[in-house]
Amino acid sequence: MRLKDIREDRDMTQKKIAEYLHIRQNTYSQYETGQRQLPIDVLVKLADFFGTSADYILGITDESKPYPRARERT
């Protein structure tokens, strides 16, 4: 995962991102180091927060631009 690189590129601290996610800094640190699996809801929040795609965070693509939003179905 690219969490640490993305965070550092934006000059953010783990504490600041953990506050945004309403989790402890230690928990976020474990996401960055791979000691704890990243829940899907947290992955989505991080993609929105960083303005990128979940695939980019996970290292599936090198394209950092987010995908267009899906239209809501009625």
Side-chain angles (χ1 to χ4, degrees):
M1 281 193 300
R2 295 181 163 130
L3 280 180
K4 183 177 180 180
D5 293 336
I6 296 168
R7 176 180 58 77
E8 289 178 344
D9 287 347
R10 288 162 176 79
D11 295 322
M12 301 286 297
T13 63
Q14 287 183 347
K15 182 178 179 183
K16 192 72 168 173
I17 296 171
E19 288 171 359
Y20 169 76
L21 296 171
H22 304 289
I23 60 174
R24 294 180 15 235
Q25 179 271 328
N26 186 31
T27 301
Y28 180 79
S29 175
Q30 291 173 341
Y31 294 152
E32 279 193 358
T33 61
Q35 293 175 322
R36 182 181 286 223
Q37 286 195 350
L38 189 62
I40 292 174
D41 63 321
V42 172
L43 177 61
V44 170
K45 286 180 184 179
L46 288 170
D48 285 341
F49 181 78
F50 289 126
T52 191
S53 70
D55 284 353
Y56 183 74
I57 291 173
L58 296 172
I60 295 170
T61 183
D62 289 331
E63 178 61 50
S64 64
K65 291 191 325 185
Y67 303 115
R69 289 258 182 219
R71 294 184 304 181
E72 287 189 32
R73 295 180 184 195
T74 55

